[in-house]
Amino acid sequence: MRTGSPPDTDRTPRTVGAVWGLLVLNTLGSTGAETIVPLPRSLIQMVTMGALVAAFTLALAVNLRLRVRPSAYLFLLTLLLVPSVISSVGLDSGFGALFRCARLALFVGTLWLLSRWWDGGMTFVRHHIRMYFAVLGSVAAGLAVSPGAALPELYGGRLVGALWPLTPPQIGQYAAVIIGLTVLLALSRGTDRASAAVIVVPSLVLLALTHTRTATLGLLIGLGLAIGSLVPTSAAARRFFAWAVLCAAVAAVGFASAVRAWFLRGQNQEHFTSLTGREKVWDALLAAPRTVSEKWFGMGLGDKSFGGLPIDNSWLAVYHEQGLTGTAVVAAALVVLAGVALLRPPSPRRACAIFLISYCAIASYTEAGLGDASPYLLHLAVAASLLAPPAAATPLPAPEAPRRRVPRGARRSEMT
């Protein structure tokens, strides 16, 4: 591949947005709640994998010259393939592990092809908001068509996807991310207040119906850090920050019991402090015997479960599947992105990147996904596109000076 300066953001082909939408579709997953119209898992997997193949094909078609931008984040994702393949090639986890390696390779390859248009602009932020808002639109449609299927007792009355099998944590994640990005766009005047309200208000309602604590905390902390980075240079950010602190104080005093009930979700204190039983899975995973190879390279890419139960922790999931090597690579990717974001001067782009990085770091404690093709890698890819240096403008050739016509007599005189 050749590296080169990408074209201007305004010249980004529309196909790039379609590719991003296909990547979002690929990361929606194939397991979740029961839908109104039963969808076979094989059909869902065919759709999601077909979306990834189509995304790679379109990205290759729009970037036939294979022009990419240097990216430490994408380099580390490519490096993550090494422990993934080493641990999966033994087939201890079955052929599914090699299939997941191929999927991760195709996913990272598509991001490399799109990196040509990573120039520090807001293009991919807008693509991200549009695509996930469309996903939330399908969730809202399912809630309107069949409230019973969208709020099933199996999930404790929490909101799920009734048209596409989405779990409450997934919906909460998508809602929190687009709320944060839209608020930051509105503060930087990247969009008007009416358009921002159209996205933020319904997304807040869906987030509340999911009762997802991780997404809510990630939104509040991530948005606080992002807006805090804008406070020194933005009067709008200072006003918003002051109002947010005031509203939080009022809510803490006047609605403390309601907020506490929402966070507990009907669980007792013991169940709440043990993170809904996650700690038992974590302790069993860490206590399981492993060979030296399994400690360093893992057991191979799987479904992020241990003993038939979900791991629900990105770091332990990476350690289980890609070993200490994979854990070090993922940690390096987060550290590099965070370090670059801290070194950038205050700006809306930097604020959006800080929000996405901090949200993924917070969610990694109770959600898996940093070591495989997932929405979290897409969030971090958007952050990487925001932190990329602007494209160097191609200088225009200097106009040639007009030639002076010399009279014939003058030429003869010069010759003599």
Side-chain angles (χ1 to χ4, degrees):
M1 290 186 177
R2 294 190 300 168
T3 59
S5 298
D8 192 23
T9 305
D10 294 336
R11 299 179 183 177
T12 303
R14 294 183 179 180
T15 310
V16 171
V19 172
W20 200 257
L22 291 169
L23 289 177
V24 169
L25 176 58
N26 172 253
T27 57
L28 292 182
S30 59
T31 59
E34 295 183 1
T35 55
I36 300 173
V37 178
L39 299 174
R41 186 178 180 184
S42 58
L43 175 62
I44 297 174
Q45 290 176 334
M46 188 182 303
V47 171
T48 54
M49 280 307 302
L52 180 57
V53 173
F56 180 80
T57 304
L58 284 177
L60 187 61
V62 79
N63 191 5
L64 283 175
R65 295 185 178 182
L66 303 182
R67 292 180 177 174
V68 300
R69 297 205 75 184
S71 171
Y73 172 69
L74 291 183
F75 171 76
L76 289 169
L77 284 190
T78 307
L79 191 62
L80 187 62
L81 286 168
V82 176
S84 303
V85 173
I86 291 176
S87 59
S88 301
V89 75
L91 299 181
D92 293 333
S93 301
F95 285 99
L98 287 178
F99 178 80
R100 291 182 177 92
C101 286
R103 178 195 177 212
L104 179 59
L106 207 59
F107 183 86
V108 175
T110 306
L111 291 180
W112 270 115
L113 292 171
L114 293 180
S115 69
R116 176 185 178 185
W117 293 278
W118 291 8
D119 60 352
M122 289 288 193
T123 302
F124 287 89
V125 171
R126 299 183 188 280
H127 288 326
H128 214 54
I129 293 174
R130 292 191 193 104
M131 300 310 168
Y132 279 116
F133 189 65
V135 174
L136 293 182
S138 71
V139 175
L143 177 62
V145 172
S146 179
L151 301 167
E153 291 296 330
L154 179 64
Y155 283 88
R158 301 170 65 190
L159 181 65
V160 300
L163 299 181
W164 185 275
L166 298 174
T167 61
Q170 285 180 281
I171 300 172
Q173 175 197 162
Y174 306 153
V177 167
I178 68 173
I179 289 170
L181 292 177
T182 305
V183 168
L184 293 173
L185 275 180
L187 287 177
S188 61
R189 297 182 180 179
T191 186
D192 58 272
R193 295 181 180 180
S195 300
V198 169
I199 295 176
V200 171
V201 174
S203 299
L204 277 173
V205 173
L206 296 181
L207 174 60
L209 290 176
T210 63
H211 288 265
T212 306
R213 296 179 290 232
T214 300
T216 304
L217 290 175
L219 171 63
L220 295 177
I221 298 174
L223 204 52
L225 293 174
I227 295 176
S229 70
L230 288 174
V231 165
T233 58
S234 172
R238 289 192 289 270
R239 289 193 299 269
F240 185 89
F241 192 80
W243 276 106
V245 172
L246 178 62
C247 293
V250 172
V253 174
F255 304 96
S257 59
V259 172
R260 184 174 181 274
W262 186 88
F263 267 92
L264 286 177
R265 297 194 313 230
Q267 300 171 349
N268 56 37
Q269 194 68 27
E270 181 181 357
H271 204 214
F272 176 75
T273 54
S274 66
L275 298 174
T276 322
R278 288 184 175 96
E279 289 185 351
K280 296 179 180 179
V281 181
W282 299 348
D283 293 340
L285 186 149
L286 292 173
R290 297 174 187 271
T291 64
V292 175
S293 176
E294 290 170 348
K295 284 183 179 179
W296 284 100
F297 300 106
M299 309 287 291
L301 291 184
D303 58 358
K304 313 298 176 286
S305 65
F306 179 80
L309 296 174
I311 297 175
D312 287 338
N313 180 290
S314 283
W315 303 105
L316 291 179
V318 173
Y319 169 68
H320 178 62
E321 297 184 353
Q322 291 137 311
L324 293 173
T325 305
T327 306
V329 172
V330 172
L334 276 176
V335 169
V336 167
L337 287 175
V340 173
L342 291 176
L343 293 175
R344 290 283 189 270
S347 68
R349 297 171 178 81
R350 176 184 183 239
C352 289
I354 289 175
F355 168 74
L356 291 170
I357 296 166
S358 57
Y359 180 90
C360 291
I362 294 167
S364 67
Y365 185 66
T366 57
E367 296 290 335
L370 286 181
D372 204 349
S374 69
Y376 292 106
L377 294 191
L378 286 182
H379 302 334
L380 293 177
V382 174
S385 74
L386 291 166
L387 298 174
T394 304
L396 296 175
E400 295 183 0
R403 296 181 178 179
R404 293 180 57 189
R405 292 185 177 181
V406 182
R408 293 181 180 180
R411 289 181 183 177
R412 292 175 181 173
S413 61
E414 289 176 0
M415 293 175 65
T416 57

